Amino acid sequence: MNIVVLVKQVPDTWADRSLRADGRVDRDAVAPVTDEITERAVETALQLKELHGGSVTVLTMGPARAVDALRKGLAMGADAAIHVSDESLAGSDALQTSAALAAALRTVEVDLVIAGTESTDGRTGAIPAMLAERLALPQLTFLSSVTVSDGVVSGIRSVENGTLEVRAGLPAVISITEQAPEPRFPNFKGIMAAKKKPMTVLTVADLGLEVGEVGGDASWSRVANVTPRPARAAGTVITDDGTAGAQLADFLAGAQLI
Amino acid sequence: MGQILVLAEHTQGTLDRVTGELLAAAALLGEPAAVVVGLPGAADALLEQLAESGAHRVYVAETADAEALLVTPAVLALDAAVTAARATGEVTAVLVNASIAGRETAARLSVRLTAGLINDAVGVELIDGVVVATMQALGGAYIVQSTAVELAVVTVRPHAISGQAPAASAERVDITIDTAALPAAAITAVHAEVVARDRPDLTAASVVVSGGRGLGSRENFSLVEELADVFGAAVGASRAAVEADYCAHHMQVGQTGVTVAPQLYIALGISGAIQHRAGMQSAKTIVVINKDAGAPLFEVADFGIVGDLFTVVPQLIEAVRARQNA
Ligand SMILES: Cc1cc2nc3c(=O)[nH]c(=O)nc-3n(C[C@H](O)[C@H](O)[C@H](O)COP(=O)(O)OP(=O)(O)OC[C@H]3O[C@@H](n4cnc5c(N)ncnc54)[C@H](O)[C@@H]3O)c2cc1C
Ligand SMILES: Nc1ncnc2c1ncn2[C@@H]1O[C@H](COP(=O)(O)O)[C@@H](O)[C@H]1O
C-alpha cells in the first residue's frame, strides 16, 4: 500500500502568533513547527505500513524552510518526500492550495492519502475534502480510528453529536483527529537515514499549473481588513479562606449572571 | 437581488435551529432560498417550516442515499441547486452551517464551482453588492473581514447570527442528483452521543463550565457536571482532561477543539495553556478556580479563586442554589 501523508509547517501554537494586515499569519515572527496533527498522520501511516507493507511518502506545500517538516517525517520513518515549493504560491487560499497538492498527488501512485483534520493556523479543515473532490476519491474524514483490510479502509468518524462508522474502497483520502496515536520520536539512526532518502521538489511549472492560477493575487477569497481584539481588563483574584464560593456567588449576582 | 442558497439541516421532519439562522443571514444578503437533501418524501414536512423561516424557494433533492453516503449528496444537491437557481437569476452566495460536515460540503462545492470559500463566519453583510463576512482568527485574537471574488461559499458558525427572515412562499423546485457519479464513503452505522437531558450545546450555551486535569479522575469530573446543572450550562474540558479520558473528545475547548464565546465561562482545574485560551478568551465573563496562583488562566479571569476546587465548588453550588431559591 502506497501512502502519502500531507504534512504542514505552522507557526508554533505555544508562541504569541499574530496576523499581518493582509490577513496572513506572520510566519517570520514565530518559530515554525510541524503541525502536531500532521505528525500523528505520519504515525498513523507508519503503523499502517508496519501492518500492510508498502511505502510512506510525506508531501508538503510551503516555503523553503518547510523542508524541516519533511525531514522530520523522513526521520520518523517515511521513505520519500515531495516538496511543492514555488514563490508564486505564497498567499494561496484553500482552493489554490488544494489544486497544487492535487497536482502533486497525481505525480505518484497512491492508495491512501492521510491528512490532519484541520491545521492550527488556518483551521479551515477544507483541504482533505477538496482533495477528495479534485481527485474523485472517496473521503473518510475526521477519523478517530482507522483500519485497512482487503483494499477497504474503514474508521470511526467523530462529529459534534456522536460517531459514524464509515468505509470505502481504496484509493481514498482520509483525515485523522487528535485521537490518532501520538507520534514517535525520531531517533539518531532515523535522522541519519533521512539524509539519504529521496526528496523531490516540484515547482508550479512542474505541476502543470499556470502561475496566474496560484498565489494571493489570484485567490478566490480575499481578506479585506484585520482588527486585533482589545485586551481583556484585569479582574479580581482572591485566595479561598472558606468564603470564596460565597464571594463568587455575590460577584455573579452583581453581574446578573445568576 | 441575488438569490442566497442555504443548505437546510433537518432531523426527523423538523428543521434544525441552525437552518433558521442561516436563512436569517441569507436575508441580510439577498433573497433566501433553501436546499433540502433527504430521503424520498422528506421535504413534505419541511416546506411549511421553511416558509415561516423565510425561504422564497426550496430546491429539493430526494434520494435513497441521502443518509447512507458521507457528504457527497449535499455537495451534489447544492451544485444542482446553484445551476437551477442561475436559470432564474443571479446567485450571490451559498451558506452552510460551519459544522464538520458543513465545512466539508462547502469546501467541495467551492472546488466544483471554482468559488471562494469563507469559513466560520460570525457575521455577514452586503457592501456595494459584495458579500463581506466577519470571522475570528487565531482563537479570537483578531477580527477579520473577507470577501470572495464573484460567488461566495460561506460557512456560518452556529448560534452566531440572531434574528429571523420574514416569512416567504417556499416555492418547491425538485432537482435530481446522481449520487453514483461521485466516489463516496458509505456510512455503515450511526452512534448518537447520549447527552444529559436539558444540557445545551457547547457552542450555543450562554454558560459553559469546563474541567481540566485538576479534576483528577473521570469520577471526580462529575463535579463539573454538577456545577453545570446549577447554571443550566454546557460542559467543556481541556485537552488534558480529554486525553485522560475524564470526558468525551467533542467536549474539548480550544485551539484544536470547540471555540466558545458564552456570557460566562467557569474553568475548574485548568492551567490556561495558550491553546486552551484560544477557544474561550472571547467569553464575556471568565471565572477561574485553580489551586496554583501562578496558573496563566488567571491572567484573563474576571474573577479568580486561588483554592482547591473540591472545597470551593461545593461552596459555590450551595451559595448559588441559596440565591436561586431565595
Ligand atoms: C497543537 C496543540 C493543540 C492543543 N489544543 C488544545 C485544545 O484545543 N484545548 C486544550 O485545552 N488544550 C490544548 N492543547 C494542550 C495544552 O497545551 C495543555 O496541555 C492543556 O490545555 C492542559 O490542560 P489542563 O489545564 O487541564 O492541564 P494542566 O496544565 O495539567 O493543568 C491542571 C491545573 O489544575 C490545577 N489543579 C490541580 N488540582 C487542583 C485542585 N484540586 N483544585 C484546583 N486546581 C487544581 C493545577 O494547578 C493546574 O493548573 C494543545 C496543545 C498543542 C501542542
Ligand atoms: N500546505 C499544505 N501542505 C501539506 N498539507 C497541507 C497543507 N495545507 C493543509 N494540509 C493538510 O490538510 C490538513 C487540513 O488542513 P486545513 O484544511 O488547512 O485546515 C492538514 O492537517 C494537512 O494534513
Side-chain angles (χ1 to χ4, degrees):
Chain A
M1 182 166 57
N2 297 319
I3 304 174
V4 178
V5 184
L6 297 175
V7 297
K8 187 177 183 191
Q9 196 178 56
V10 296
D12 195 344
T13 57
W14 281 109
D16 246 325
R17 299 169 299 168
S18 56
L19 279 194
R20 307 191 319 194
D22 62 3
R24 291 194 223 159
V25 182
D26 191 340
R27 287 172 205 280
D28 298 322
V30 172
V33 297
T34 310
D35 208 352
E36 187 202 72
I37 190 78
T38 68
E39 291 181 357
R40 289 179 194 253
V42 174
E43 179 62 38
T44 303
L46 294 172
Q47 291 189 12
L48 286 171
K49 178 187 160 179
E50 280 154 17
L51 282 173
H52 304 285
S55 70
V56 174
T57 301
V58 281
L59 163 63
T60 198
M61 166 179 142
R65 63 172 175 229
V67 74
D68 292 342
L70 295 175
R71 288 218 182 95
K72 186 154 190 198
L74 292 173
M76 283 172 70
D79 304 291
I82 304 174
H83 188 181
V84 176
S85 183
D86 196 310
E87 293 200 346
S88 65
L89 289 164
S92 290
D93 63 8
L95 208 52
Q96 297 168 314
T97 300
S98 67
L101 289 172
L105 285 165
R106 286 194 193 97
T107 66
V108 290
E109 258 184 54
V110 53
D111 302 302
L112 188 63
V113 178
I114 308 184
T117 44
E118 54 183 42
S119 40
T120 49
D121 53 353
R123 294 210 62 179
T124 53
I127 297 296
M130 285 181 166
L131 290 175
E133 183 68 37
R134 290 191 186 277
L135 299 169
L137 294 178
Q139 155 197 344
L140 298 86
T141 40
F142 278 78
L143 300 187
S144 53
S145 70
V146 197
T147 44
V148 174
S149 78
D150 297 329
V152 170
V153 54
S154 53
I156 310 281
R157 171 174 165 95
S158 282
V159 288
E160 293 88 351
N161 48 4
T163 58
L164 305 174
E165 292 175 35
V166 292
R167 57 184 281 142
L170 297 176
V173 175
I174 71 171
S175 77
I176 50 99
T177 70
E178 278 181 354
Q179 286 151 295
E182 276 195 37
R184 65 193 66 185
F185 283 106
N187 57 23
F188 181 71
K189 217 174 116 213
I191 293 167
M192 294 315 287
K195 299 192 168 139
K196 300 196 193 72
K197 290 177 178 171
M199 167 92 64
T200 310
V201 179
L202 297 173
T203 63
V204 164
D206 295 333
L207 295 173
L209 298 172
E210 297 291 325
V211 172
E213 278 178 61
V214 293
D217 293 339
S219 68
W220 292 90
S221 52
R222 311 256 166 103
V223 170
N225 61 67
V226 172
T227 327
R229 195 176 49 93
R232 294 188 77 94
T236 313
V237 177
I238 61 168
T239 302
D240 180 33
D241 58 0
T243 64
Q247 290 187 56
L248 174 51
D250 289 343
F251 167 82
L252 294 174
Q256 281 166 359
L257 289 162
I258 43 175
Chain B
M1 192 159 51
Q3 291 187 70
I4 312 297
L5 301 192
V6 161
L7 179 63
E9 295 194 3
H10 52 96
T11 316
Q12 288 169 349
T14 307
L15 281 188
D16 295 347
R17 166 175 156 185
V18 67
T19 307
E21 296 170 4
L22 292 173
L23 288 165
L28 302 173
L29 303 175
E31 187 180 271
V35 179
V36 170
V37 191
L39 296 172
D44 290 342
L46 300 171
L47 287 175
E48 207 179 302
Q49 300 169 55
L50 285 165
E52 275 165 32
S53 303
H56 288 251
R57 289 206 186 139
V58 180
Y59 298 93
V60 176
E62 291 180 335
T63 158
D65 289 333
E67 291 167 5
L69 297 175
L70 193 61
V71 173
T72 55
V75 174
L76 291 164
L78 285 173
D79 191 6
V82 168
T83 305
R86 277 180 171 159
T88 63
E90 196 199 347
V91 178
T92 320
V94 178
L95 308 184
V96 181
N97 181 17
S99 61
I100 290 170
R103 285 186 296 153
E104 295 180 334
T105 304
R108 297 186 68 142
L109 184 72
S110 93
V111 168
R112 290 178 87 83
L113 301 173
T114 321
L117 176 66
I118 298 179
N119 224 353
D120 208 18
V122 294
V124 290
E125 57 195 309
L126 198 67
I127 299 177
D128 299 331
V130 176
V131 176
V132 179
T134 303
M135 276 95 50
Q136 297 178 346
L138 295 182
Y142 291 85
I143 303 294
V144 174
Q145 291 197 308
S146 289
T147 61
V149 180
E150 300 164 38
L151 176 67
V153 177
V154 185
T155 68
V156 181
R157 185 179 289 187
H159 317 302
I161 290 178
S162 51
Q164 149 98 42
S169 58
E171 178 202 331
R172 176 175 179 143
V173 182
D174 282 286
I175 52 179
T176 38
I177 57 172
D178 175 14
T179 52
L182 210 51
I187 300 170
T188 53
V190 179
H191 309 281
E193 186 72 35
V194 211
V195 238
R197 253 182 321 126
D198 307 333
R199 191 69 42 79
D201 254 23
L202 197 47
T203 50
S206 57
V207 181
V208 173
V209 181
S210 286
R213 202 193 320 253
L215 268 299
S217 71
R218 187 177 249 274
E219 293 70 52
N220 290 347
F221 200 82
S222 61
L223 189 59
V224 181
E225 281 151 23
E226 236 178 276
L227 183 60
D229 285 339
V230 173
F231 289 97
V235 176
S238 71
R239 185 164 95 171
V242 169
E243 279 177 347
D245 200 28
Y246 300 170
C247 60
H249 177 66
H250 63 87
M251 290 158 80
Q252 180 174 321
V253 171
Q255 171 77 56
T256 47
V258 187
T259 301
V260 298
Q263 291 297 308
L264 174 61
Y265 188 86
I266 303 180
L268 309 177
I270 295 178
S271 62
I274 196 164
Q275 298 94 349
H276 186 79
R277 297 210 301 262
M280 45 64 75
Q281 61 193 358
S282 307
K284 185 124 189 301
T285 300
I286 297 174
V287 170
V288 174
I289 303 176
N290 193 308
K291 68 178 181 191
D292 173 10
L297 202 55
F298 282 122
E299 289 163 22
V300 296
D302 295 289
F303 196 95
I305 297 174
V306 181
D308 189 326
L309 71 92
F310 296 107
T311 54
V312 176
V313 172
Q315 290 171 26
L316 175 63
I317 292 175
E318 201 183 316
V320 174
R321 283 239 168 87
R323 280 175 179 275
Q324 285 170 339
N325 296 335

Short mmCIF file of all heavy atoms in Angstrom, two decimals, chain A residues 6-8 37-38 59-61 97 101 115-119 123-128, ligand 2:
data_model
loop_
_atom_site.label_atom_id
_atom_site.label_comp_id
_atom_site.label_asym_id
_atom_site.label_seq_id
_atom_site.Cartn_x
_atom_site.Cartn_y
_atom_site.Cartn_z
N LEU A 6 0.06 14.18 4.18
CA LEU A 6 0.16 15.63 3.99
C LEU A 6 0.63 16.27 5.28
O LEU A 6 -0.11 16.31 6.26
CB LEU A 6 -1.21 16.19 3.62
CG LEU A 6 -1.78 15.67 2.30
CD1 LEU A 6 -3.19 16.20 2.12
CD2 LEU A 6 -0.90 16.10 1.16
N VAL A 7 1.88 16.71 5.29
CA VAL A 7 2.39 17.37 6.49
C VAL A 7 2.43 18.87 6.25
O VAL A 7 2.55 19.34 5.13
CB VAL A 7 3.79 16.84 6.91
CG1 VAL A 7 3.71 15.37 7.27
CG2 VAL A 7 4.81 17.08 5.82
N LYS A 8 2.30 19.61 7.33
CA LYS A 8 2.25 21.06 7.18
C LYS A 8 3.06 21.73 8.27
O LYS A 8 3.00 21.32 9.43
CB LYS A 8 0.80 21.55 7.25
CG LYS A 8 0.68 23.03 6.93
CD LYS A 8 -0.76 23.51 6.92
CE LYS A 8 -0.80 24.98 6.54
NZ LYS A 8 -2.12 25.58 6.75
N ILE A 37 -0.85 17.66 14.51
CA ILE A 37 -1.83 16.72 13.94
C ILE A 37 -1.24 16.00 12.72
O ILE A 37 -1.54 14.84 12.47
CB ILE A 37 -3.15 17.46 13.58
CG1 ILE A 37 -4.27 16.49 13.23
CG2 ILE A 37 -2.97 18.45 12.45
CD1 ILE A 37 -4.89 15.85 14.40
N THR A 38 -0.36 16.69 11.99
CA THR A 38 0.21 16.03 10.80
C THR A 38 1.31 15.04 11.21
O THR A 38 1.59 14.09 10.49
CB THR A 38 0.70 17.03 9.74
OG1 THR A 38 1.83 17.76 10.21
CG2 THR A 38 -0.41 18.00 9.35
N LEU A 59 4.36 14.70 2.00
CA LEU A 59 4.18 15.75 1.00
C LEU A 59 3.82 17.04 1.70
O LEU A 59 2.96 17.06 2.58
CB LEU A 59 3.04 15.34 0.04
CG LEU A 59 2.40 16.42 -0.85
CD1 LEU A 59 3.41 17.02 -1.82
CD2 LEU A 59 1.22 15.82 -1.63
N THR A 60 4.48 18.13 1.33
CA THR A 60 4.05 19.43 1.85
C THR A 60 4.12 20.47 0.75
O THR A 60 4.88 20.33 -0.21
CB THR A 60 4.90 19.88 3.06
OG1 THR A 60 4.18 20.90 3.75
CG2 THR A 60 6.25 20.45 2.65
N MET A 61 3.30 21.49 0.90
CA MET A 61 3.43 22.68 0.08
C MET A 61 3.78 23.81 1.04
O MET A 61 3.07 24.03 2.02
CB MET A 61 2.12 23.00 -0.62
CG MET A 61 2.09 24.39 -1.21
SD MET A 61 0.52 24.70 -2.05
CE MET A 61 0.29 26.43 -1.59
N THR A 97 -4.42 26.03 -2.86
CA THR A 97 -3.54 25.05 -2.20
C THR A 97 -3.97 23.63 -2.58
O THR A 97 -3.13 22.78 -2.89
CB THR A 97 -3.61 25.23 -0.67
OG1 THR A 97 -3.18 26.56 -0.36
CG2 THR A 97 -2.73 24.23 0.05
N LEU A 101 -1.72 20.73 -4.34
CA LEU A 101 -1.50 19.44 -3.69
C LEU A 101 -2.07 18.30 -4.53
O LEU A 101 -1.47 17.23 -4.64
CB LEU A 101 -2.12 19.43 -2.28
CG LEU A 101 -1.40 20.30 -1.24
CD1 LEU A 101 -2.21 20.37 0.05
CD2 LEU A 101 0.01 19.78 -0.95
N ALA A 115 -4.34 13.00 5.85
CA ALA A 115 -4.15 14.39 6.26
C ALA A 115 -4.58 14.54 7.71
O ALA A 115 -5.18 13.63 8.29
CB ALA A 115 -4.97 15.31 5.38
N GLY A 116 -4.29 15.71 8.28
CA GLY A 116 -4.88 16.06 9.58
C GLY A 116 -6.26 16.62 9.34
O GLY A 116 -6.61 17.00 8.22
N THR A 117 -7.10 16.67 10.39
CA THR A 117 -8.44 17.20 10.19
C THR A 117 -8.41 18.67 9.84
O THR A 117 -9.05 19.11 8.89
CB THR A 117 -9.29 17.05 11.46
OG1 THR A 117 -8.49 17.44 12.57
CG2 THR A 117 -9.77 15.64 11.64
N GLU A 118 -7.68 19.46 10.62
CA GLU A 118 -7.58 20.87 10.29
C GLU A 118 -6.28 21.41 10.84
O GLU A 118 -5.75 20.88 11.82
CB GLU A 118 -8.78 21.66 10.83
CG GLU A 118 -9.03 21.49 12.31
CD GLU A 118 -10.28 22.23 12.78
OE1 GLU A 118 -11.30 22.20 12.08
OE2 GLU A 118 -10.19 22.85 13.85
N SER A 119 -5.75 22.45 10.20
CA SER A 119 -4.46 22.95 10.65
C SER A 119 -4.66 24.02 11.71
O SER A 119 -5.67 24.70 11.75
CB SER A 119 -3.64 23.46 9.47
OG SER A 119 -4.45 24.15 8.56
N ARG A 123 -7.18 26.65 10.28
CA ARG A 123 -8.36 25.98 10.83
C ARG A 123 -9.52 25.87 9.86
O ARG A 123 -10.67 25.91 10.27
CB ARG A 123 -8.85 26.70 12.10
CG ARG A 123 -7.90 26.62 13.25
CD ARG A 123 -8.62 26.65 14.56
NE ARG A 123 -9.51 25.53 14.73
CZ ARG A 123 -10.24 25.33 15.81
NH1 ARG A 123 -10.20 26.19 16.79
NH2 ARG A 123 -11.01 24.30 15.90
N THR A 124 -9.26 25.76 8.56
CA THR A 124 -10.40 25.65 7.66
C THR A 124 -10.90 24.22 7.56
O THR A 124 -12.07 24.01 7.31
CB THR A 124 -10.06 26.14 6.24
OG1 THR A 124 -8.89 25.46 5.82
CG2 THR A 124 -9.82 27.63 6.22
N GLY A 125 -10.02 23.24 7.77
CA GLY A 125 -10.45 21.86 7.65
C GLY A 125 -10.99 21.55 6.27
O GLY A 125 -11.87 20.71 6.10
N ALA A 126 -10.48 22.25 5.27
CA ALA A 126 -11.03 22.17 3.92
C ALA A 126 -10.22 21.29 2.99
O ALA A 126 -10.76 20.67 2.08
CB ALA A 126 -11.13 23.58 3.32
N ILE A 127 -8.92 21.25 3.22
CA ILE A 127 -8.02 20.63 2.23
C ILE A 127 -8.35 19.16 1.97
O ILE A 127 -8.46 18.75 0.81
CB ILE A 127 -6.54 20.82 2.64
CG1 ILE A 127 -6.17 22.31 2.67
CG2 ILE A 127 -5.60 20.03 1.74
CD1 ILE A 127 -6.26 23.02 1.34
N PRO A 128 -8.54 18.33 3.00
CA PRO A 128 -8.82 16.91 2.69
C PRO A 128 -10.07 16.73 1.83
O PRO A 128 -10.05 15.96 0.86
CB PRO A 128 -9.00 16.29 4.08
CG PRO A 128 -8.23 17.19 5.01
CD PRO A 128 -8.41 18.57 4.45
N1 LIG C 2 0.25 23.48 2.56
C1 LIG C 2 -0.05 22.23 2.91
N2 LIG C 2 0.83 21.22 2.66
C2 LIG C 2 0.55 19.94 3.01
N3 LIG C 2 -0.58 19.58 3.62
C3 LIG C 2 -1.49 20.52 3.91
C4 LIG C 2 -1.29 21.89 3.57
N4 LIG C 2 -2.37 22.59 3.98
C5 LIG C 2 -3.20 21.70 4.57
N5 LIG C 2 -2.68 20.44 4.52
C6 LIG C 2 -3.26 19.18 5.04
O1 LIG C 2 -4.65 19.34 5.23
C7 LIG C 2 -4.97 19.20 6.62
C8 LIG C 2 -6.11 20.14 6.98
O2 LIG C 2 -5.67 21.47 6.81
P1 LIG C 2 -6.63 22.72 6.58
O3 LIG C 2 -7.63 22.32 5.57
O4 LIG C 2 -5.69 23.79 6.12
O5 LIG C 2 -7.24 23.04 7.93
C9 LIG C 2 -3.67 19.44 7.36
O6 LIG C 2 -3.63 18.81 8.64
C10 LIG C 2 -2.66 18.82 6.38
O7 LIG C 2 -2.64 17.41 6.51
#
